Structure formats: C-alpha cells, structure tokens
Amino acid sequence: MTEAFVYDAVRTPRGRGKKDGSLHEVSTLSLATTALRAIKERNKLDTHLVDDVVLGCVDPVAEAGSDIARAAALNADYGNHVPGVQINRFCASGLDAVNFAAAQVMSGQHDMTVGGGVESMSRVGMGASGGAWPMDPQIAVKSYFMPQGVSADLIATKYGFSRDDVDQYAVESQKLAAQSWKEGRFKKSIVPVKDVNGITILDHDEHMRPTTDMQSLAQLKPSFPQMGEFGGFSAVAIQAHPEVEAINYVHHAGNSSGIVDGAAAVLIGNAEAGKKAGLKPRAKIRAFANIGSEPALMLTGPVDVTEKLLKKAKMSINDIDLFELNEAFASVVLRYMQAFNIPRSKINVCGGAIAMGHPLGATGAMVFGTVLDELERTGKSTALVTLCIGAGMGTATIIERV
C-alpha cells in the first residue's frame, strides 16, 4: 500500500453561526475557496498535480448544494481538470473527507488530493437538508431516534457524570482555547477570511468566552428537558436503556459545542507527488476506520471506533501521544476518557468545540490540523483524531509526525 503523507493543513477562523456573526455575509463557496486557495498559495502548488478535492458538508443544500467541492476548486483557480466531490457523514464529514482523500492516494489511484470541509451554519441552518432518520417513523422508531442533546444527557446519566463534571470540563475547554490563542498555537494553520477588497473580515475564533467559570455556567438552565420530558424522548431513552430510571439533564449551551461558520483543507499526497511539488511531508496517515454504534446512546461511537482502529493498526492506547475528540457535548469526551483511562493532559489540549465551535462539515478537518500542529509544537509522535456522529457512528484516524 502506498503511504499517504500530509503536506499542509489550514483552516479559517470560526465565526459565530448567527446573523450577527462576522462570517454571516460570507458565502459557503467563499469559505471553502479561502481554505483551498490558502493550500495552493502557501505551498506554491501547481494544481495540475492535484487529482481530486473531497469536502465534507452536512447540509449540502441551497448555496452549499450541487457539489460545493467542485465549485470551490474552480473558484480557487485549481484548473478545470481538478474534480471535486462532497460527502456527508454528519459531524465526521470533514475527517472522513480527509480519509477519503488519503485512501485515493494509499490505493495508488491518485497521487495528490485535498480533503477538508465547510459549513456556513449562519446561512444554511442545521438540519436544512432534512432526512429520513429524524422524520420517517419507519426508521426513527426502530433506531430509537432522539435529539443529540437528549442522547448526551443519557450518556451523562448512564456513566455517572454530574452537572459539575460537565461544567468543569467546559471551563477547562475555554481556558485551554484562550491559552492556545495567546501562545500562538493556531497561527501556523489559521488563514484569515477577507472580503473582495482584501480587507480582513475575521482572523480569530469569535465564539470563545474565556471568562467562563463554574459560577457563570451554574446560571444556565439545562437545554433539553423540554425535548426529553414533553417531547417524549426521555421515554425513548429509557426504553432503549431500561437500566436508567430517569434522565439527569446536565447539558446546556455552555457545555455543548457552539454553532459556527468555517472551512478547512488538508493537502495529501504520496512521496513522489510531494517531491514534484517541492514539499516536505509533515506527517503520514497510519490508519483510519469507521464504525456504527448503538443509535440511542448515539455519541459513544468514538469509543467503539478507537477500539477497532487500534486493533487494525496493531497499536495500544498507550501508543498514542495526543487525542483529539470533537467536543460535541462534554459528556462525550468524559465518557471517552473514562473508557480508556486517558488523562486530561493528553486530550483536546488546545481546547475544543465547546469554546471555539463546531462547523459541522469542517470540524473533522479542523481538529486534524490542530493536533498535527500540536505534535510538531511539542515534538510528540502519534495522534488519534475522532468524532462522534449522529445516528450512532464513529470515525477515527491515526497520524504519525514525520
């Protein structure tokens, strides 16, 4: 099998996913174009070497529809010969796009590819693309469909995480993100979003609230009791997990991922393609995997896919220096740490989506780049990137610094 090397990784800042967010006036196409153009310009890349662009997008409708990857590649002046494809595996779409791009190289069918993702949540609302899973009783009933927030509270209840536990994790995420920005940990990967005149619109993650503390979070009411109790989803959760007598609602806006806009891109190629482009590899992709997990718990897929991936790679949890798990909800990360006995000092060490936000289709590629930068900054070797996914799935990738 051909080795797939990572030559570069970039991301835009995350803008608040609301009408008053800095990136609200920036189209999905422009966000994706910013990331792809940065890959080209930073590396003085001859795009004739690029065989494909794979972008994740969770709600590929309206301006984000009709294969946003191809449109963005053309808009970023990659040339007519560079194709593009959009994929959707819910929250793991960005990481899966990187894996798909890497697989093309590893199989020997392509020499150089770009994987990444984009989501403008302020312009194309979450859930805008609809779907059978939440809407059609034929599948919703048999899969114990419930909103993800109720599933997150089910995880907290089942595995014993209190309101203080999830709030404490959220406070740490905010502090680590603020510290990382202060220390310049993201400067290698961040590309500012600019307008048509070249004036910078946003150059930092604007969702962060670094002054967050336990006292301020204590003022927030849980977000999901109404869905659970009055919407009937608590009964669904208990039917799926009768060992749980009642749901303890602990999640709210302050310990859940933020709604934001953003895009990311990762340049991948074999050794020969890198030499042709005059590039030095930063890391190689050792292995990746996907898995289906129990759909009612839904968000424990990272545990299942990590077990599968480590076995596939013939590695143990102790072989991994750093872990990056998307902070969809605090209980997701706490359960992962509990399952593998991972110390806080090895996971999400730069903060995560609770502080900086979760631009659905882009997040996987963003956290991929974050942990790559952190491996280089600390001189460590190996990292595992993973995300929980709607409908009960998990995606994970192991990279090794070169």
Side-chain angles (χ1 to χ4, degrees):
M1 185 181 295
T2 303
E3 288 189 312
F5 293 97
V6 180
Y7 290 100
D8 200 10
V10 302
R11 74 169 177 93
T12 69
R14 297 168 171 101
R16 281 193 307 273
K18 299 180 179 180
K19 291 184 178 180
D20 63 351
S22 294
L23 299 181
H24 176 60
E25 299 301 323
V26 181
S27 69
T28 306
L29 174 63
S30 294
L31 284 177
T33 299
T34 296
L36 293 182
R37 184 173 287 138
I39 285 288
K40 182 183 71 170
E41 293 178 352
R42 282 163 49 120
N43 298 286
K44 299 180 175 58
L45 181 64
D46 178 359
T47 59
H48 282 88
L49 298 173
V50 178
D51 294 305
D52 203 3
V53 172
V54 187
L55 294 183
C57 184
V58 173
D59 282 297
V61 295
E63 68 177 48
S66 298
D67 193 356
I68 190 67
R70 171 63 169 166
L74 289 172
N75 201 43
D77 301 318
Y78 272 48
N80 294 341
H81 68 286
V82 181
V85 61
Q86 172 270 324
I87 67 168
N88 179 11
R89 202 190 297 273
F90 297 145
C91 295
S93 299
L95 182 59
D96 240 342
V98 173
N99 292 344
F100 277 41
Q104 293 176 337
V105 172
M106 295 165 81
S107 68
Q109 303 309 302
H110 286 163
D111 297 321
M112 180 168 280
T113 55
V114 178
V118 63
E119 208 81 40
S120 178
M121 300 181 75
S122 70
R123 296 171 64 91
V124 182
M126 183 165 55
S129 57
W133 171 54
M135 302 298 295
D136 188 338
Q138 183 177 354
I139 183 61
V141 173
K142 71 188 298 182
S143 64
Y144 297 99
F145 168 78
M146 65 187 82
Q148 288 191 8
V150 178
S151 289
D153 284 330
L154 173 61
I155 291 169
T157 305
K158 182 177 175 67
Y159 293 104
F161 305 125
S162 68
R163 171 69 183 259
D164 282 350
D165 292 333
V166 291
D167 281 359
Q168 182 60 51
Y169 181 86
V171 171
E172 291 173 359
S173 178
Q174 294 282 358
K175 292 186 181 306
L176 287 170
Q179 178 184 349
S180 296
W181 269 102
K182 183 178 180 180
E183 294 178 357
R185 295 190 190 185
F186 303 127
K187 65 182 180 181
K188 191 171 185 176
S189 297
I190 289 284
V191 290
V193 178
K194 299 182 179 182
D195 65 15
V196 293
N197 299 311
I199 299 172
T200 296
I201 299 172
L202 186 67
D203 61 3
H204 64 280
D205 294 320
E206 69 174 346
H207 183 269
M208 298 189 303
R209 296 177 175 84
T211 60
T212 298
D213 56 23
M214 293 293 285
Q215 289 71 32
S216 61
L217 292 184
Q219 304 304 311
L220 300 177
K221 294 181 179 180
S223 297
F224 306 107
Q226 186 169 6
M227 291 181 183
E229 300 304 320
F230 299 108
F233 292 109
S234 63
V236 175
I238 293 168
Q239 183 180 25
H241 289 270
E243 72 277 11
V244 174
E245 295 183 1
I247 303 299
N248 182 23
Y249 295 99
V250 297
H251 287 92
H252 50 74
N255 55 35
S256 307
S257 55
I259 294 173
V260 294
D261 306 331
V266 179
L267 180 62
I268 299 164
N270 60 31
E272 184 178 351
K275 287 179 182 178
K276 285 183 180 179
L279 300 175
K280 181 180 179 181
R282 297 174 59 187
K284 67 178 179 180
I285 296 179
R286 288 194 57 166
F288 52 83
N290 295 293
I291 203 168
S293 61
E294 202 270 295
L297 280 177
M298 193 189 309
L299 307 175
T300 55
V303 174
D304 301 323
V305 77
T306 295
E307 292 172 344
K308 177 180 179 179
L309 181 58
L310 290 174
K311 183 177 180 180
K312 178 183 179 67
K314 298 180 180 179
M315 300 173 70
S316 77
I317 203 76
N318 295 324
D319 293 323
I320 307 298
D321 297 315
L322 292 174
F323 297 85
E324 195 72 27
L325 168 57
N326 182 40
E327 295 175 351
F329 299 90
S331 66
V332 172
V333 186
L334 292 176
R335 171 56 191 152
Y336 191 80
M337 293 167 63
Q338 181 189 67
F340 296 111
N341 195 28
I342 298 171
R344 185 66 181 85
S345 60
K346 293 182 68 173
I347 188 166
N348 297 351
V349 296
C350 295
I354 289 173
M356 294 178 283
H358 174 24
L360 304 179
T363 304
M366 285 187 170
V367 297
F368 182 99
T370 294
V371 83
L372 172 58
D373 286 346
E374 194 63 11
L375 283 178
E376 293 175 335
R377 188 187 74 85
T378 59
K380 294 178 179 177
S381 177
T382 307
L384 188 150
V385 184
T386 184
L387 299 93
C388 60
I389 308 173
M393 294 183 283
T395 296
T397 306
I398 295 173
I399 64 172
E400 181 178 333
R401 186 170 63 89
V402 175

